[in-house]
């Protein structure tokens, strides 16, 4: 198959582990996440989730948000306690009447904050994050990292942002397409960050 992204890829994550997926642009990092959460299906082989695993999935296209609802309405399937939601949304820089804005009028950065705030309230025990800091300013990135710093579940992340990744306390790195797994290495993450920024770098 000419467009096969990876072959005989095999790895296992244990409960509570935090992995960063590493690879060049176009290698299939986001595709792997979609396979894991069930948005796509592998041509061969299988993906097995542990018993009672519940996935919280952040995707760059914000498909988990309803364009026709306001910010606060996005959370009504979790709780309708307005005072509590104001507190949560305030941590993600939505104050006062901001919470009544419709998703359709928000900037990409604001949509990211809404999606990540909802993940923070979710009861999922396996977070799958696809480039969660795209469109976010440094201050907001720090808020997001702090929010998930003490997350007790398992985490699988795609990100080219070295500082954000470091703040998440990532433990291991999964390289694509090889499937090689190593301990977290900040220098390697920075090197791939430069590569993603189209710098002339050989890895």
């Amino acid at each position: 198959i000419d467009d096969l992204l990876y072959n005989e890829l095999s790895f296992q994550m244990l409960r509570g582990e935090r992995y960063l997926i590493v690879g060049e642009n176009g290698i299939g990092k986001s595709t792997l996440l979609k396979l894991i959460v069930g948005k796509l299906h592998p041509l061969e082989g299988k993906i097995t989730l542990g018993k009672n695993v519940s996935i919280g999935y952040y995707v760059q296209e914000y498909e988990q948000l309803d364009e026709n609802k306001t910010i606060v309405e996005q959370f009504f399937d979790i709780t309708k306690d307005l005072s509590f939601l104001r507190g949560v949304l305030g941590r993600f820089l939505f104050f006062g009447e901001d919470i009544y804005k419709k998703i359709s009028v928000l900037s990409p950065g604001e949509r990211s904050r809404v999606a990540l705030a909802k993940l923070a309230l979710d009861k999922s025990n396996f977070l799958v994050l696809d480039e969660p800091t795209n469109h976010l300013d440094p201050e907001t990135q720090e808020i997001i990292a702090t929010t998930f710093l003490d997350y007790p579940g398992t985490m699988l992340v795609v990100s080219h942002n070295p500082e954000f990744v470091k703040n998440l306390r990532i433990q291991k790195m999964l390289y694509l397409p090889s499937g090689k797994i190593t301990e977290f290495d900040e220098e390697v993450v920075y090197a791939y960050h430069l590569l993603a920024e189209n710098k002339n770098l050989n890895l």
Side-chain angles (χ1 to χ4, degrees):
I1 302 174
D2 293 336
D3 57 354
L4 192 68
L5 288 174
Y6 16 78
N7 186 35
E8 298 183 2
L9 176 64
S10 178
F11 68 98
Q12 180 182 31
M13 292 185 70
L14 301 179
R15 183 173 60 183
E17 288 186 323
R18 298 183 176 209
Y19 274 51
L20 174 71
I21 299 179
V22 178
E24 297 181 24
N25 287 340
I27 204 66
K29 298 187 293 294
S30 293
T31 298
L32 179 59
L33 297 190
K34 289 177 181 178
L35 287 166
I36 290 171
V37 303
K39 297 287 185 181
L40 297 175
H41 301 285
L43 296 175
E44 293 183 2
K46 63 180 180 178
I47 296 168
T48 304
L49 298 177
K51 186 178 181 181
N52 298 322
V53 168
S54 174
I55 295 177
Y57 179 43
Y58 173 87
V59 61
Q60 299 175 62
E61 291 78 19
Y62 317 112
E63 61 189 39
Q64 67 271 57
L65 299 179
D66 187 333
E67 293 270 330
N68 297 313
K69 289 184 177 180
T70 64
I71 292 174
V72 72
E73 286 173 340
Q74 300 293 322
F75 298 83
F76 283 173
D77 58 331
I78 300 174
T79 179
K80 293 186 178 180
D81 184 335
L82 193 58
S83 178
F84 172 74
L85 289 175
R86 280 193 178 278
V88 171
L89 289 168
R91 294 202 302 271
F92 287 82
L93 307 182
F94 293 109
F95 306 106
E97 296 301 306
D98 288 346
I99 69 172
Y100 299 112
K101 290 181 179 178
K102 281 196 172 183
I103 299 299
S104 58
V105 305
L106 300 182
S107 68
E110 289 171 325
R111 292 181 186 217
S112 292
R113 282 191 270 131
V114 174
L116 289 163
K118 190 161 187 179
L119 269 187
L121 279 186
D122 200 352
K123 300 298 183 182
S124 302
N125 52 26
F126 180 24
L127 278 186
V128 178
L129 307 178
D130 189 359
E131 294 287 3
T133 60
N134 277 8
H135 312 297
L136 299 182
D137 58 77
E139 179 188 9
T140 308
Q141 291 177 24
E142 185 175 349
I143 292 170
I144 302 306
T146 301
T147 299
F148 294 112
L149 185 61
D150 297 321
Y151 175 72
T154 308
M155 190 180 295
L156 185 60
V157 182
V158 169
S159 177
H160 289 123
N161 186 324
E163 195 62 31
F164 176 76
V165 170
K166 179 182 177 182
N167 288 337
L168 282 180
R169 295 180 183 168
I170 295 293
Q171 301 159 324
K172 296 183 180 181
M173 301 191 300
L174 169 68
Y175 290 81
L176 293 182
S178 69
K180 176 184 176 183
I181 295 175
T182 69
E183 296 300 312
F184 176 74
D185 187 325
E186 188 177 346
E187 291 185 3
V188 172
V189 174
Y190 186 68
Y192 274 96
H193 166 70
L194 293 179
L195 190 66
E197 295 293 317
N198 297 316
K199 299 289 173 57
N200 202 6
L201 183 71
N202 293 318
L203 296 176

